[in-house]
Amino acid sequence: MTPPTRWPQHPRPLEGEALSSWLARLAGCYSMSLRCLLDWAMEGIDVNEDDLDLGPSPALLRTLTQRTGVPPETLSRMSLIGWTPWLTDSLEAELAAFDTYVNQFSVMLAPGRRPPRTVADWRAWIPSNPLTRACPGCLEDPSRQGLLLVWKLPLLLSCPEHGFLLEPCIGARGNFVILTTSDPQCGSISAPVRAMERLTWQALTHGCVELPRRTVHAGTWFRLLRTIIDELSGPLSEWGNRSADLKRLWGECNLPLRGGLTRWQPFEDVPWEHQANLLMGAAQAVDALTSGQMAGRGTSAHLFLPEPEGPVDDGTPPRTTALRDAVAKLNRITTAALGNPKTAQALYDLAAKAIRDRPLIDLRPSGFPVAGVEGDGTGSCG
């Protein structure tokens, strides 16, 4: 007798849950190990458990869709293959991958201050030493007994919903235990860290990030953040006469230079303790850039500067104010033309002359970009 295609029990994945976590919960429904569930699902075809959160095979995703009814696009987003190329360019390690990803932008340091580097077997944000962390507040909720995929990456220090520090944990089948004796609510999470993590969470959940100067695509944010981390972890010689700025920044974090690293190493290869320090340093750097406490010399530093609120040095009003004033004037003229034939005829004559000759006035303030003509090349969302 042929067994039924659809499994009788198949709890829905949590929003953002890792594929391995969901499959472990599925296995728990049948009092199975994860290994037994995979063998049962694939009917003897070997599946590497280490690949579940990286890039599961299309055959496995098709089978899981058939067995549970969860759409394949949902299953794909539960592993990192569904996050490429905006989080990482590729899951395949390439010699040029590091330089392409990390040196694409410059923020605090001028272009060329960091030397090109070739790192074998490197993939952006994927740690060499696997991370298993969780939010104590989330795991206390019986309906959320699963691990999010982002918790397995060195991207966040805390839970955006509860504000608790993410803590190491162990467990399977939805029964996870936090490996800490400290009160998660007493964790020291600074205001700069919270602000930066809100931006990272925007990237993960909305696909774009609202920076002071413009909204950028999530892929741009992850590369900017990875660039800042690399600038902070480099030697003092790369900072030259600005080394005092770097020392002051780390001092404001109450952390050692380079987050405690004694030599340069890729962020993904260092222990979590150093990764956490570098994330805190990056948050302090973003705060210093946006508040004007530190000047960025890189080509993308302007993205972190706030829009001017008053007249700039040359007396030109901010572009948003100038554009708003121009639109208001046009509205007043148009309204007047609606009730006065002479005004309407004058407005028509002005527009006709502008079309025949050239624009008599440019309503765009100085420096206001034309779509598709100007821009910094970073890409935007929208």
Side-chain angles (χ1 to χ4, degrees):
M1 181 177 179
T2 304
T5 300
R6 186 66 57 88
W7 288 336
Q9 298 184 68
H10 42 274
R12 305 296 294 180
L14 304 176
E15 183 67 30
E17 186 174 9
L19 184 61
S20 62
S21 170
W22 178 62
L23 289 177
R25 293 197 296 118
L26 269 173
C29 293
Y30 300 97
S31 300
M32 286 183 175
S33 68
L34 175 57
R35 180 73 267 163
C36 288
L37 179 78
L38 292 173
D39 291 341
W40 180 33
M42 299 304 293
E43 299 178 346
I45 300 176
D46 185 52
V47 176
N48 188 344
E49 293 182 38
D50 294 336
D51 292 338
L52 293 177
D53 295 332
L54 289 174
S57 68
L60 176 61
L61 297 183
R62 286 194 301 269
T63 299
L64 291 175
T65 294
Q66 185 182 39
R67 300 296 192 187
T68 66
V70 178
E73 56 270 19
T74 300
L75 295 175
S76 178
R77 289 194 298 269
M78 297 172 69
S79 64
L80 290 176
I81 191 66
W83 293 21
T84 57
W86 53 280
L87 177 65
T88 184
D89 288 330
S90 172
L91 296 182
E92 299 295 329
E94 301 175 357
L95 284 179
F98 181 89
D99 205 46
T100 300
Y101 192 100
V102 179
N103 281 336
Q104 178 179 355
F105 298 124
S106 58
V107 180
M108 293 183 294
L109 298 179
R113 294 297 302 182
R114 290 176 295 141
R117 292 184 171 100
T118 299
V119 182
D121 300 326
W122 180 88
R123 294 170 298 182
W125 300 110
I126 301 177
S128 299
N129 302 307
L131 290 176
T132 304
R133 301 174 300 145
C135 166
C138 290
L139 294 189
E140 285 180 359
D141 184 345
S143 66
R144 301 181 64 172
Q145 288 292 302
L147 299 180
L148 303 190
L149 183 60
V150 69
W151 292 347
K152 295 175 174 287
L153 303 176
L155 273 170
L156 296 174
L157 291 163
S158 63
C159 171
E161 180 174 342
H162 296 98
F164 296 166
L165 285 172
L166 298 178
E167 301 285 1
C169 71
I170 58 172
R173 302 183 185 178
N175 298 312
F176 298 99
V177 179
I178 298 291
L179 296 177
T180 180
T181 56
S182 62
D183 182 352
Q185 300 186 58
C186 297
S188 177
I189 305 174
S190 66
V193 169
R194 290 189 186 278
M196 186 184 77
E197 298 210 321
R198 281 194 295 270
L199 299 178
T200 299
W201 193 244
Q202 278 183 21
L204 292 167
T205 56
H206 293 87
C208 54
V209 175
E210 296 178 3
L211 294 180
R213 285 289 172 105
R214 64 180 295 178
T215 298
V216 300
H217 189 275
T220 299
W221 167 251
F222 289 123
R223 286 157 179 78
L224 288 171
L225 179 57
R226 189 59 186 81
T227 294
I228 293 173
I229 289 173
D230 197 60
E231 291 173 332
L232 291 175
S233 59
L236 284 174
S237 59
E238 293 180 6
W239 284 71
N241 58 8
R242 299 186 63 217
S243 59
D245 292 339
L246 181 63
K247 293 178 180 178
R248 183 171 59 254
L249 186 146
W250 282 112
E252 290 171 351
C253 300
N254 294 316
L255 292 171
L257 276 173
R258 306 168 80 172
L261 295 178
T262 57
R263 61 183 179 86
W264 183 89
Q265 290 177 269
F267 172 74
E268 293 77 7
D269 292 349
V270 302
W272 164 246
E273 292 75 13
H274 292 304
Q275 290 174 337
N277 288 348
L278 287 167
L279 286 172
M280 286 187 277
Q284 192 68 36
V286 171
D287 182 72
L289 289 168
T290 55
S291 64
Q293 297 176 10
M294 176 182 287
R297 303 291 176 83
T299 56
S300 299
H302 68 283
L303 294 173
F304 296 91
L305 298 177
E307 287 281 12
E309 296 182 356
V312 294
D313 293 341
D314 62 358
T316 303
R319 72 187 191 189
T320 53
T321 301
L323 181 60
R324 187 165 52 246
D325 290 345
V327 171
K329 290 178 181 178
L330 279 176
N331 287 337
R332 288 196 296 271
I333 294 171
T334 304
T335 300
L338 291 174
N340 190 317
K342 291 184 178 180
T343 303
Q345 184 63 48
L347 183 59
Y348 175 82
D349 293 341
L350 178 64
K353 180 175 175 53
I355 293 173
R356 288 194 305 269
D357 302 331
R358 60 181 177 82
L360 298 180
I361 55 173
D362 186 355
L363 296 177
R364 292 180 292 110
S366 176
F368 191 77
V370 178
V373 177
E374 300 177 37
D376 57 14
T378 59
S380 62
C381 179

